[in-house]
Amino acid sequence: MAPPAMQSPGDLGAAAAGRPHVMFIPSAGMGHLLPFFRVIGALASRDDVDISVVTVLPTVSAAETEHFAGLFQEYPHVRRVDFHLLPFDASEFPGADPFLLRWEALRRSAHLFGPLIAGASPRVSAVVTDITLSSHVIPIAKELSVQCHVLFVSCATMLSLCAYVPVHLDSKAAAGEEVGPGVGDVDIPGVRRIPERCLPQPLLDLNKLFTKQFIDNGREIVHADGFLLNTFDALEPVALAALRDGKVVPGFPQVYAIGPFNAHTPTAAAKQPPPAGSPEAWLDGQPEKSVVYVAFGNRNAVSREQLREIGAGLEASGHRFLWVLKTTTVDRDDKAELEDVLGEGFLERVGGRGLVTKAWVDQEALLKHPSVGMFLSHSGWNSVTEAAAAGVPLLAWPRGGDHRVNATVVVSGGVGVWMEHWSWDGEDELVTGEEIGDKVKEVMSDEAVRARAARTGEEAAKAVAEGGTSYRNLQEFVGKLKAT
């Protein structure tokens, strides 16, 4: 296989003189890529860090392709490193999630990162990689005497779980306890007890591909040089303190809480009025805090039956709503017509007070719109932090993965409320439209919930402002890069 190609605009030696060169190695899935794009944007806006980004081809989704293109267009001085995967026979894992398959394909091609890092010019000072690749990339970086940091795309509570699960399993085995079929309840020292029903579903089976990856990564991350997290000290004080104090795992690497991450905001001159018919334009015509924003992430498909119950609930609630609907895991496969999904007559009945779209939206901007009063969400971590930053109450309905762990932070951090008994992927029970409608009405009218969310938004703004905790943590991270 030919070495990956690096596109190198301009005089790289002159451009990078005296600056650390950070190579970002992201994974796949917009939930993982968006945090990378936002951190890259934050560093690329400075003049003291040189950046290259490994772009894995082909991308899994159309959204990934578009966002990579947008990143390099916005920051032309950021160098793109095209990385082509080795052939991978996905038939080994019938029925597996396409994004989990991509992570496995990346791991099997990971040995190619060594020559890529070693041959880069200017010399790579540090690598920032995704948690899904850490068990492979960290040893490679160590062998090359290059710093390796992990950009962890979930919450600090989830990081503590990832770090502690191998210790938990080893302790059970050493005590002669039966291990399996799954991980079981996990009591994380200094953080909290995570019941098995709240763990990512694959952890219920130790033989699952994801579970093996999760444990491998958990064992290796203690050798990283540091962690960048999309959180802030006021949101997760207990988990961050436990990680930093070595309560979870002794000697755990430095944790830099630098969130909430913000998307690049165009200058006033570059801003354009939203096009007619767009979600932004529709929101412009709605009263303040009157709209329920509904979205379940970019790779979480909800069953057709449950989608219709959600529609019935939104209709019954009587509130205005903007619903970003998704019917497939990969956006390129989403061909369904809205009327076929939601039932005949639904769009006509809610016309005027409800807008349903399958288009990609700038969720961060929508949540900051003054007309949005609540967010019904799967509680993916990007969504949680965007709601926290906007001060918008979040009604958490976890669908899978880390979502129930994130939902514990939604409650403890004052972001919103969590319907703990509502079912998620793999469970047969439908949540009825009546129950959804009642809960939407309840949260929309709850001034205490709204006040807590507003206070969390104020804390988020303080964290990223000059002198705030996240601001200082980012400065400390850059200082560590410069010390190499």
Side-chain angles (χ1 to χ4, degrees), residues 6 12-13 15-17 19-21 50 79 117 119-125:
M6 177 175 281
L12 302 183
R19 299 186 299 177
H21 173 196
D50 189 56
R79 295 190 302 285
I117 297 168
S121 178
R123 173 188 171 274
V124 173
S125 310

Side-chain angles (χ1 to χ4, degrees), residues 55-70:
T55 307
V56 180
L57 299 172
T59 57
V60 179
S61 68
E64 293 176 4
T65 302
E66 293 167 6
H67 277 74
F68 270 116

